[in-house]
mmCIF file of all heavy atoms in Angstrom:
data_model
loop_
_atom_site.group_PDB
_atom_site.id
_atom_site.type_symbol
_atom_site.label_atom_id
_atom_site.label_comp_id
_atom_site.label_asym_id
_atom_site.label_seq_id
_atom_site.Cartn_x
_atom_site.Cartn_y
_atom_site.Cartn_z
ATOM 1 N N GLU A 105 -32.842 -4.127 37.247
ATOM 2 C CA GLU A 105 -32.773 -2.703 37.403
ATOM 3 C C GLU A 105 -33.270 -2.218 38.705
ATOM 4 O O GLU A 105 -34.027 -2.964 39.373
ATOM 5 C CB GLU A 105 -33.652 -2.081 36.216
ATOM 6 C CG GLU A 105 -35.154 -2.323 36.503
ATOM 7 C CD GLU A 105 -36.032 -1.561 35.460
ATOM 8 O OE1 GLU A 105 -35.562 -0.848 34.577
ATOM 9 O OE2 GLU A 105 -37.288 -1.783 35.536
ATOM 10 N N ALA A 106 -32.650 -1.053 39.131
ATOM 11 C CA ALA A 106 -33.089 -0.418 40.269
ATOM 12 C C ALA A 106 -33.745 0.954 40.012
ATOM 13 O O ALA A 106 -33.050 1.712 39.139
ATOM 14 C CB ALA A 106 -32.006 -0.307 41.233
ATOM 15 N N ILE A 107 -34.756 1.284 40.535
ATOM 16 C CA ILE A 107 -35.454 2.509 40.162
ATOM 17 C C ILE A 107 -35.480 3.416 41.508
ATOM 18 O O ILE A 107 -36.184 3.005 42.445
ATOM 19 C CB ILE A 107 -36.814 2.426 39.668
ATOM 20 C CG1 ILE A 107 -36.829 1.470 38.409
ATOM 21 C CG2 ILE A 107 -37.486 3.754 39.336
ATOM 22 C CD1 ILE A 107 -38.158 1.101 37.896
ATOM 23 N N VAL A 108 -34.703 4.442 41.512
ATOM 24 C CA VAL A 108 -34.513 5.315 42.686
ATOM 25 C C VAL A 108 -35.673 6.411 42.582
ATOM 26 O O VAL A 108 -35.673 7.122 41.640
ATOM 27 C CB VAL A 108 -33.130 5.924 42.881
ATOM 28 C CG1 VAL A 108 -32.998 6.760 44.096
ATOM 29 C CG2 VAL A 108 -32.078 4.730 42.821
ATOM 30 N N VAL A 109 -36.424 6.441 43.679
ATOM 31 C CA VAL A 109 -37.490 7.467 43.712
ATOM 32 C C VAL A 109 -37.130 8.484 44.719
ATOM 33 O O VAL A 109 -37.179 8.148 45.937
ATOM 34 C CB VAL A 109 -38.925 6.797 44.043
ATOM 35 C CG1 VAL A 109 -39.986 7.780 43.758
ATOM 36 C CG2 VAL A 109 -39.167 5.529 43.262
ATOM 37 N N ARG A 126 -44.408 11.175 41.649
ATOM 38 C CA ARG A 126 -43.155 10.539 41.557
ATOM 39 C C ARG A 126 -43.297 9.017 41.659
ATOM 40 O O ARG A 126 -42.636 8.267 40.948
ATOM 41 C CB ARG A 126 -42.203 11.110 42.687
ATOM 42 C CG ARG A 126 -41.925 12.560 42.422
ATOM 43 C CD ARG A 126 -40.886 13.028 43.519
ATOM 44 N NE ARG A 126 -40.695 14.520 43.289
ATOM 45 C CZ ARG A 126 -39.876 15.268 43.977
ATOM 46 N NH1 ARG A 126 -39.072 14.719 44.856
ATOM 47 N NH2 ARG A 126 -39.788 16.518 43.711
ATOM 48 N N VAL A 127 -44.183 8.564 42.472
ATOM 49 C CA VAL A 127 -44.399 7.137 42.494
ATOM 50 C C VAL A 127 -45.087 6.661 41.244
ATOM 51 O O VAL A 127 -44.594 5.575 40.694
ATOM 52 C CB VAL A 127 -45.407 6.680 43.676
ATOM 53 C CG1 VAL A 127 -45.719 5.261 43.627
ATOM 54 C CG2 VAL A 127 -44.731 7.012 44.991
ATOM 55 N N ARG A 128 -45.880 7.277 40.675
ATOM 56 C CA ARG A 128 -46.574 6.923 39.411
ATOM 57 C C ARG A 128 -45.510 6.856 38.277
ATOM 58 O O ARG A 128 -45.436 5.988 37.492
ATOM 59 C CB ARG A 128 -47.655 7.865 38.979
ATOM 60 C CG ARG A 128 -48.892 7.719 39.864
ATOM 61 C CD ARG A 128 -50.113 8.531 39.290
ATOM 62 N NE ARG A 128 -51.175 8.440 40.041
ATOM 63 C CZ ARG A 128 -51.558 9.583 40.904
ATOM 64 N NH1 ARG A 128 -50.904 10.480 41.152
ATOM 65 N NH2 ARG A 128 -52.708 9.388 41.693
ATOM 66 N N ALA A 129 -44.614 7.871 38.318
ATOM 67 C CA ALA A 129 -43.460 7.960 37.320
ATOM 68 C C ALA A 129 -42.632 6.772 37.483
ATOM 69 O O ALA A 129 -42.071 6.246 36.583
ATOM 70 C CB ALA A 129 -42.722 9.257 37.471
ATOM 71 N N ALA A 130 -42.366 6.298 38.724
ATOM 72 C CA ALA A 130 -41.565 5.182 38.962
ATOM 73 C C ALA A 130 -42.152 3.899 38.490
ATOM 74 O O ALA A 130 -41.402 3.059 37.796
ATOM 75 C CB ALA A 130 -41.315 5.124 40.425
ATOM 76 N N LEU A 131 -43.490 3.731 38.741
ATOM 77 C CA LEU A 131 -44.071 2.438 38.185
ATOM 78 C C LEU A 131 -44.072 2.389 36.750
ATOM 79 O O LEU A 131 -43.952 1.275 36.188
ATOM 80 C CB LEU A 131 -45.523 2.399 38.925
ATOM 81 C CG LEU A 131 -45.540 2.157 40.405
ATOM 82 C CD1 LEU A 131 -47.062 2.157 40.883
ATOM 83 C CD2 LEU A 131 -44.789 0.992 40.832
ATOM 84 N N ARG A 132 -44.259 3.461 36.051
ATOM 85 C CA ARG A 132 -44.269 3.412 34.652
ATOM 86 C C ARG A 132 -42.843 3.311 34.069
ATOM 87 O O ARG A 132 -42.670 3.043 32.986
ATOM 88 C CB ARG A 132 -45.065 4.537 33.955
ATOM 89 C CG ARG A 132 -44.399 5.939 34.172
ATOM 90 C CD ARG A 132 -45.367 6.906 33.421
ATOM 91 N NE ARG A 132 -44.790 8.347 33.567
ATOM 92 C CZ ARG A 132 -45.431 9.228 34.112
ATOM 93 N NH1 ARG A 132 -46.538 9.130 34.693
ATOM 94 N NH2 ARG A 132 -44.873 10.505 34.158
ATOM 95 N N SER A 133 -41.838 3.448 34.861
ATOM 96 C CA SER A 133 -40.481 3.317 34.495
ATOM 97 C C SER A 133 -40.023 1.883 34.491
ATOM 98 O O SER A 133 -38.930 1.548 34.071
ATOM 99 C CB SER A 133 -39.584 4.222 35.384
ATOM 100 O OG SER A 133 -39.880 5.593 35.284
ATOM 101 N N VAL A 134 -40.817 0.984 35.137
ATOM 102 C CA VAL A 134 -40.430 -0.460 35.272
ATOM 103 C C VAL A 134 -40.394 -0.999 33.840
ATOM 104 O O VAL A 134 -41.191 -0.889 32.949
ATOM 105 C CB VAL A 134 -41.462 -1.112 36.047
ATOM 106 C CG1 VAL A 134 -41.226 -2.616 36.107
ATOM 107 C CG2 VAL A 134 -41.474 -0.585 37.509
ATOM 108 N N ASP A 135 -39.235 -1.658 33.607
ATOM 109 C CA ASP A 135 -38.980 -2.369 32.402
ATOM 110 C C ASP A 135 -39.512 -3.811 32.454
ATOM 111 O O ASP A 135 -39.064 -4.579 33.215
ATOM 112 C CB ASP A 135 -37.467 -2.481 32.050
ATOM 113 C CG ASP A 135 -37.088 -2.958 30.688
ATOM 114 O OD1 ASP A 135 -38.005 -3.655 30.094
ATOM 115 O OD2 ASP A 135 -36.086 -2.714 30.175
ATOM 116 N N ARG A 136 -40.602 -4.050 31.680
ATOM 117 C CA ARG A 136 -41.218 -5.366 31.779
ATOM 118 C C ARG A 136 -40.371 -6.548 31.367
ATOM 119 O O ARG A 136 -40.635 -7.719 31.703
ATOM 120 C CB ARG A 136 -42.621 -5.307 31.077
ATOM 121 C CG ARG A 136 -43.570 -4.203 31.536
ATOM 122 C CD ARG A 136 -43.923 -4.381 33.019
ATOM 123 N NE ARG A 136 -44.698 -3.157 33.326
ATOM 124 C CZ ARG A 136 -45.100 -2.919 34.650
ATOM 125 N NH1 ARG A 136 -44.761 -3.767 35.614
ATOM 126 N NH2 ARG A 136 -45.854 -1.912 34.998
ATOM 127 N N GLU A 140 -35.606 -8.513 37.057
ATOM 128 C CA GLU A 140 -36.143 -8.089 38.363
ATOM 129 C C GLU A 140 -36.006 -6.511 38.284
ATOM 130 O O GLU A 140 -35.074 -5.950 37.909
ATOM 131 C CB GLU A 140 -35.296 -8.524 39.463
ATOM 132 C CG GLU A 140 -35.860 -8.036 40.814
ATOM 133 C CD GLU A 140 -35.069 -8.523 42.024
ATOM 134 O OE1 GLU A 140 -33.802 -8.125 42.145
ATOM 135 O OE2 GLU A 140 -35.557 -9.276 42.813
ATOM 136 N N SER A 141 -37.063 -5.866 38.813
ATOM 137 C CA SER A 141 -37.179 -4.434 38.994
ATOM 138 C C SER A 141 -37.395 -4.195 40.486
ATOM 139 O O SER A 141 -38.404 -4.646 41.012
ATOM 140 C CB SER A 141 -38.145 -3.739 38.142
ATOM 141 O OG SER A 141 -37.890 -3.889 36.732
ATOM 142 N N VAL A 142 -36.538 -3.338 41.029
ATOM 143 C CA VAL A 142 -36.681 -3.033 42.579
ATOM 144 C C VAL A 142 -36.853 -1.472 42.659
ATOM 145 O O VAL A 142 -36.064 -0.837 42.044
ATOM 146 C CB VAL A 142 -35.452 -3.685 43.432
ATOM 147 C CG1 VAL A 142 -34.239 -3.022 42.922
ATOM 148 C CG2 VAL A 142 -35.815 -3.161 44.849
ATOM 149 N N LEU A 143 -37.907 -1.091 43.391
ATOM 150 C CA LEU A 143 -38.102 0.446 43.665
ATOM 151 C C LEU A 143 -37.257 0.750 44.855
ATOM 152 O O LEU A 143 -37.479 0.104 45.950
ATOM 153 C CB LEU A 143 -39.596 0.667 43.811
ATOM 154 C CG LEU A 143 -40.521 0.359 42.592
ATOM 155 C CD1 LEU A 143 -41.858 0.940 42.860
ATOM 156 C CD2 LEU A 143 -39.865 0.987 41.331
ATOM 157 N N VAL A 144 -36.468 1.734 44.833
ATOM 158 C CA VAL A 144 -35.778 2.261 46.035
ATOM 159 C C VAL A 144 -36.323 3.644 46.338
ATOM 160 O O VAL A 144 -36.083 4.624 45.677
ATOM 161 C CB VAL A 144 -34.186 2.318 45.731
ATOM 162 C CG1 VAL A 144 -33.506 2.886 46.885
ATOM 163 C CG2 VAL A 144 -33.740 1.031 45.229
ATOM 164 N N PHE A 145 -37.128 3.653 47.391
ATOM 165 C CA PHE A 145 -37.776 4.872 47.929
ATOM 166 C C PHE A 145 -36.821 5.666 48.774
ATOM 167 O O PHE A 145 -36.388 5.044 49.818
ATOM 168 C CB PHE A 145 -39.091 4.634 48.572
ATOM 169 C CG PHE A 145 -40.050 4.055 47.682
ATOM 170 C CD1 PHE A 145 -40.401 2.616 47.713
ATOM 171 C CD2 PHE A 145 -40.788 4.819 46.694
ATOM 172 C CE1 PHE A 145 -41.411 2.067 46.935
ATOM 173 C CE2 PHE A 145 -41.810 4.209 45.862
ATOM 174 C CZ PHE A 145 -42.060 2.884 45.991
ATOM 175 N N CYS A 146 -36.529 6.937 48.587
ATOM 176 C CA CYS A 146 -35.584 7.707 49.414
ATOM 177 C C CYS A 146 -36.302 8.866 49.952
ATOM 178 O O CYS A 146 -36.906 9.714 49.307
ATOM 179 C CB CYS A 146 -34.415 8.132 48.453
ATOM 180 S SG CYS A 146 -33.535 6.748 47.833
ATOM 181 N N ALA A 157 -40.020 8.159 52.331
ATOM 182 C CA ALA A 157 -39.855 6.869 51.770
ATOM 183 C C ALA A 157 -41.043 5.841 52.077
ATOM 184 O O ALA A 157 -41.580 5.108 51.151
ATOM 185 C CB ALA A 157 -38.535 6.236 52.183
ATOM 186 N N MET A 160 -44.361 6.958 50.378
ATOM 187 C CA MET A 160 -44.340 6.663 48.959
ATOM 188 C C MET A 160 -44.518 5.162 48.729
ATOM 189 O O MET A 160 -45.255 4.745 47.859
ATOM 190 C CB MET A 160 -43.145 7.150 48.269
ATOM 191 C CG MET A 160 -43.000 8.654 48.211
ATOM 192 S SD MET A 160 -41.602 9.192 46.982
ATOM 193 C CE MET A 160 -40.191 8.691 47.955
ATOM 194 N N GLU A 161 -43.890 4.383 49.500
ATOM 195 C CA GLU A 161 -44.054 2.854 49.437
ATOM 196 C C GLU A 161 -45.480 2.484 49.787
ATOM 197 O O GLU A 161 -46.165 1.665 49.096
ATOM 198 C CB GLU A 161 -43.086 2.076 50.380
ATOM 199 C CG GLU A 161 -43.202 0.707 50.097
ATOM 200 C CD GLU A 161 -42.379 -0.098 51.264
ATOM 201 O OE1 GLU A 161 -42.517 0.307 52.313
ATOM 202 O OE2 GLU A 161 -41.965 -1.189 50.879
ATOM 203 N N PHE A 163 -48.188 4.333 49.299
ATOM 204 C CA PHE A 163 -49.001 4.784 48.274
ATOM 205 C C PHE A 163 -48.839 3.765 47.096
ATOM 206 O O PHE A 163 -49.879 3.410 46.399
ATOM 207 C CB PHE A 163 -48.673 6.182 47.811
ATOM 208 C CG PHE A 163 -49.550 6.607 46.699
ATOM 209 C CD1 PHE A 163 -50.841 6.911 46.699
ATOM 210 C CD2 PHE A 163 -48.754 6.826 45.373
ATOM 211 C CE1 PHE A 163 -51.478 7.402 45.591
ATOM 212 C CE2 PHE A 163 -49.508 7.303 44.286
ATOM 213 C CZ PHE A 163 -50.904 7.559 44.401
ATOM 214 N N ALA A 164 -47.680 3.326 46.756
ATOM 215 C CA ALA A 164 -47.447 2.479 45.748
ATOM 216 C C ALA A 164 -48.096 1.081 45.871
ATOM 217 O O ALA A 164 -48.730 0.564 44.957
ATOM 218 C CB ALA A 164 -45.939 2.261 45.541
ATOM 219 N N ARG A 165 -48.056 0.605 47.113
ATOM 220 C CA ARG A 165 -48.653 -0.748 47.402
ATOM 221 C C ARG A 165 -50.198 -0.667 47.535
ATOM 222 O O ARG A 165 -50.976 -1.412 47.078
ATOM 223 C CB ARG A 165 -47.929 -1.315 48.538
ATOM 224 C CG ARG A 165 -46.443 -1.583 48.318
ATOM 225 C CD ARG A 165 -45.932 -2.517 49.323
ATOM 226 N NE ARG A 165 -44.425 -2.784 49.229
ATOM 227 C CZ ARG A 165 -44.143 -3.670 48.209
ATOM 228 N NH1 ARG A 165 -44.820 -4.390 47.524
ATOM 229 N NH2 ARG A 165 -42.686 -3.846 48.064
ATOM 230 N N LEU A 168 -51.821 1.903 44.420
ATOM 231 C CA LEU A 168 -51.545 1.560 43.000
ATOM 232 C C LEU A 168 -51.369 0.087 42.732
ATOM 233 O O LEU A 168 -51.144 -0.287 41.641
ATOM 234 C CB LEU A 168 -50.372 2.401 42.517
ATOM 235 C CG LEU A 168 -50.370 4.008 42.571
ATOM 236 C CD1 LEU A 168 -49.172 4.588 42.022
ATOM 237 C CD2 LEU A 168 -51.654 4.463 41.834
ATOM 238 N N GLY A 169 -51.409 -0.664 43.905
ATOM 239 C CA GLY A 169 -51.388 -2.116 43.726
ATOM 240 C C GLY A 169 -49.933 -2.737 43.322
ATOM 241 O O GLY A 169 -49.874 -3.790 42.856
ATOM 242 N N TYR A 170 -48.903 -1.919 43.700
ATOM 243 C CA TYR A 170 -47.631 -2.457 43.423
ATOM 244 C C TYR A 170 -47.281 -3.702 44.439
ATOM 245 O O TYR A 170 -47.565 -3.629 45.651
ATOM 246 C CB TYR A 170 -46.513 -1.377 43.684
ATOM 247 C CG TYR A 170 -45.138 -1.875 43.402
ATOM 248 C CD1 TYR A 170 -44.640 -2.187 42.155
ATOM 249 C CD2 TYR A 170 -44.202 -1.941 44.598
ATOM 250 C CE1 TYR A 170 -43.299 -2.669 41.941
ATOM 251 C CE2 TYR A 170 -42.869 -2.419 44.313
ATOM 252 C CZ TYR A 170 -42.434 -2.767 43.067
ATOM 253 O OH TYR A 170 -41.179 -3.182 42.929
ATOM 254 N N THR A 171 -46.801 -4.741 43.845
ATOM 255 C CA THR A 171 -46.497 -5.998 44.620
ATOM 256 C C THR A 171 -45.052 -6.436 44.501
ATOM 257 O O THR A 171 -44.596 -7.428 44.988
ATOM 258 C CB THR A 171 -47.351 -7.105 44.247
ATOM 259 O OG1 THR A 171 -47.186 -7.426 42.803
ATOM 260 C CG2 THR A 171 -48.875 -6.866 44.428
ATOM 261 N N GLY A 172 -44.215 -5.641 43.724
ATOM 262 C CA GLY A 172 -42.832 -6.036 43.476
ATOM 263 C C GLY A 172 -41.902 -5.729 44.668
ATOM 264 O O GLY A 172 -42.384 -5.059 45.721
ATOM 265 N N PRO A 173 -40.631 -6.003 44.646
ATOM 266 C CA PRO A 173 -39.662 -5.694 45.641
ATOM 267 C C PRO A 173 -39.452 -4.180 45.836
ATOM 268 O O PRO A 173 -39.512 -3.484 44.885
ATOM 269 C CB PRO A 173 -38.353 -6.480 45.165
ATOM 270 C CG PRO A 173 -38.575 -6.566 43.685
ATOM 271 C CD PRO A 173 -39.930 -6.623 43.440
ATOM 272 N N SER A 174 -39.081 -3.771 47.026
ATOM 273 C CA SER A 174 -38.758 -2.452 47.348
ATOM 274 C C SER A 174 -37.748 -2.374 48.313
ATOM 275 O O SER A 174 -37.624 -3.240 49.247
ATOM 276 C CB SER A 174 -39.956 -1.635 47.577
ATOM 277 O OG SER A 174 -40.618 -2.014 48.913
ATOM 278 N N LYS A 175 -36.891 -1.291 48.404
ATOM 279 C CA LYS A 175 -36.038 -0.972 49.453
ATOM 280 C C LYS A 175 -36.185 0.372 49.887
ATOM 281 O O LYS A 175 -36.648 1.303 49.090
ATOM 282 C CB LYS A 175 -34.613 -1.161 48.958
ATOM 283 C CG LYS A 175 -34.298 -2.562 48.405
ATOM 284 C CD LYS A 175 -32.859 -2.694 47.879
ATOM 285 C CE LYS A 175 -32.524 -4.096 47.426
ATOM 286 N NZ LYS A 175 -31.128 -4.216 46.862
ATOM 287 N N LEU A 176 -35.940 0.817 51.090
ATOM 288 C CA LEU A 176 -36.220 2.035 51.661
ATOM 289 C C LEU A 176 -34.979 2.762 52.203
ATOM 290 O O LEU A 176 -34.127 2.149 52.862
ATOM 291 C CB LEU A 176 -37.304 2.009 52.707
ATOM 292 C CG LEU A 176 -38.737 2.039 52.258
ATOM 293 C CD1 LEU A 176 -39.135 0.776 51.480
ATOM 294 C CD2 LEU A 176 -39.637 2.263 53.446
ATOM 295 N N ASP A 177 -34.798 4.071 51.922
ATOM 296 C CA ASP A 177 -33.847 4.869 52.715
ATOM 297 C C ASP A 177 -34.747 5.794 53.502
ATOM 298 O O ASP A 177 -35.359 6.733 52.855
ATOM 299 C CB ASP A 177 -32.925 5.660 51.751
ATOM 300 C CG ASP A 177 -32.451 7.007 52.222
ATOM 301 O OD1 ASP A 177 -32.177 7.004 53.482
ATOM 302 O OD2 ASP A 177 -32.453 7.982 51.443
ATOM 303 N N ALA A 190 -28.799 5.622 48.820
ATOM 304 C CA ALA A 190 -29.325 4.676 47.779
ATOM 305 C C ALA A 190 -28.168 3.819 47.190
ATOM 306 O O ALA A 190 -28.390 2.676 46.678
ATOM 307 C CB ALA A 190 -30.043 5.430 46.703
ATOM 308 N N LEU A 193 -27.970 0.259 47.991
ATOM 309 C CA LEU A 193 -29.161 -0.339 47.638
ATOM 310 C C LEU A 193 -29.270 -0.717 46.152
ATOM 311 O O LEU A 193 -30.084 -1.633 45.748
ATOM 312 C CB LEU A 193 -30.333 0.418 48.087
ATOM 313 C CG LEU A 193 -30.376 0.834 49.586
ATOM 314 C CD1 LEU A 193 -31.585 1.700 49.889
ATOM 315 C CD2 LEU A 193 -30.388 -0.332 50.483
ATOM 316 N N VAL A 194 -28.505 0.031 45.270
ATOM 317 C CA VAL A 194 -28.578 -0.099 43.832
ATOM 318 C C VAL A 194 -27.415 -0.922 43.205
ATOM 319 O O VAL A 194 -27.428 -1.177 42.155
ATOM 320 C CB VAL A 194 -28.872 1.165 43.232
ATOM 321 C CG1 VAL A 194 -29.992 1.965 43.743
ATOM 322 C CG2 VAL A 194 -27.600 2.139 43.341
ATOM 323 N N LYS A 201 -32.178 3.703 37.249
ATOM 324 C CA LYS A 201 -32.980 4.899 36.917
ATOM 325 C C LYS A 201 -33.184 5.715 38.099
ATOM 326 O O LYS A 201 -33.476 5.266 39.256
ATOM 327 C CB LYS A 201 -34.441 4.344 36.294
ATOM 328 C CG LYS A 201 -34.160 3.597 35.110
ATOM 329 C CD LYS A 201 -35.512 2.924 34.635
ATOM 330 C CE LYS A 201 -35.450 2.116 33.445
ATOM 331 N NZ LYS A 201 -36.634 1.345 33.025
ATOM 332 N N VAL A 203 -35.783 8.706 39.408
ATOM 333 C CA VAL A 203 -37.026 9.368 39.092
ATOM 334 C C VAL A 203 -37.481 10.379 39.983
ATOM 335 O O VAL A 203 -37.400 10.230 41.229
ATOM 336 C CB VAL A 203 -38.092 8.148 39.073
ATOM 337 C CG1 VAL A 203 -39.522 8.790 38.732
ATOM 338 C CG2 VAL A 203 -37.830 7.221 37.989
#
Side-chain angles (χ1 to χ4, degrees):
E105 66 174 1
I107 302 171
V108 179
V109 193
R126 295 178 185 190
V127 172
R128 291 190 182 97
L131 291 183
R132 67 176 181 245
S133 297
V134 172
D135 187 338
R136 304 301 176 186
E140 180 184 67
S141 297
V142 57
L143 300 186
V144 180
F145 297 104
C146 296
M160 290 191 293
E161 183 191 38
F163 178 70
R165 295 193 181 280
L168 302 182
Y170 178 69
T171 58
S174 61
K175 300 178 181 180
L176 276 66
D177 151 39
L193 306 179
V194 303
K201 298 172 181 175
V203 172

